[in-house]
Amino acid sequence: MKLAVVTAGLSVPSSSRLLADRLAAATVAASSSPVSVSVVELRDIALDVTKNLLTGFPSPALRSAIASVVDADALVVVTPVFTAGYSGLFKSFFDVLDADSLAGKPVLLGATGGTERHSLVLDYQLRPLFGYLKADPVATGVYAASSDWGSGEGALQRRIEKAGAELASLAAGRPALAQEPAFVPFEQLLAGAGE
C-alpha cells in the first residue's frame, strides 16, 4: 500500500507533523501488507501552491507533491487550526488538485490546535471538504490540543491507534471495524417499543 501524508504545519518542529507521523505509524502497524510512506510538507511548497493558484502551472516540486497524493492508495492529512478553521495553505493545496483526483480514496483526518474548543473542525470543515472531493474519510478523526501532548498522551494514542486501524482496514478493502450504529431509524425504535 502507498500511504501519502500531507501536513500543513508551519513551524519546526510542528505538532501537526508530529501528529501526522504518529497517525502514519499507527496505520503502518495496523496494515497486513507492506506500506510505503511519502510525506508532503506543505510549508516547503507554499510559494509553489500560491504561484499555481495564480498561473495555473504547477512547479516541478508541486507536481511531485500532487503525484504523491493522487497516486497513493490512502491519505493521512493534518492541518493546524487557525482562526477556528483549517489553514489557508492546507485548503489551497487541495484547491489545486483536479476535482475527481481523490474520488474513493480513504483518508484519515487530523488537526492540531491550542485548545480543545477547535476539535469540531474535523466534522464541520474537514469532512465536508473531503466529501466534496469525493474521498472516503474514516469514521475516527484525530484532533490534538496542546493539552493532549505530555500527560494526556494515553487518550491521544488510543485515538491515533483506532484511526490508524480504520484507515488500514479501509485501504485494504476490508469492512470497517464493527461499531454501534450512530443512528437508529425511527421505525426500528417503534418496532422495539412493544417489547
Side-chain angles (χ1 to χ4, degrees), residues 74-157:
L75 300 176
V76 169
V77 299
V78 180
T79 179
V81 175
F82 296 130
T83 319
Y86 44 62
S87 80
L89 177 58
F90 182 84
K91 176 66 164 64
S92 293
F93 175 75
F94 288 101
D95 283 344
V96 303
L97 298 180
D98 288 335
D100 294 325
S101 63
L102 299 184
K105 195 174 301 286
V107 180
L108 195 167
L109 306 174
T112 59
T115 175
E116 295 84 355
R117 292 178 300 195
H118 296 301
S119 63
L120 293 176
V121 73
L122 293 170
D123 291 323
Y124 288 96
Q125 292 187 5
L126 290 176
R127 249 176 235 290
L129 171 64
F130 286 92
Y132 176 81
L133 294 170
K134 302 177 192 89
D136 192 6
V138 298
T140 302
V142 180
Y143 178 83
S146 297
S147 61
D148 285 317
W149 304 106
S151 63
E153 280 199 56
L156 175 62
Q157 188 58 34

Side-chain angles (χ1 to χ4, degrees), residues 28-86:
V28 170
S31 181
S32 59
S33 61
V35 179
S36 65
V37 179
S38 62
V39 178
V40 175
E41 281 272 7
L42 296 181
R43 174 186 64 244
D44 297 339
I45 56 170
L47 291 175
D48 301 284
V49 170
T50 302
K51 287 178 183 175
N52 185 80
L53 288 171
L54 296 172
T55 66
F57 296 103
S59 68
L62 180 56
R63 194 175 298 116
S64 175
I66 291 170
S68 292
V69 169
V70 171
D71 295 342
D73 299 307
L75 300 176
V76 169
V77 299
V78 180
T79 179
V81 175
F82 296 130
T83 319
Y86 44 62

Side-chain angles (χ1 to χ4, degrees), residues 184-195:
V184 178
F186 188 66
E187 296 82 27
Q188 188 177 347
L189 290 172
L190 287 176
E195 296 176 4

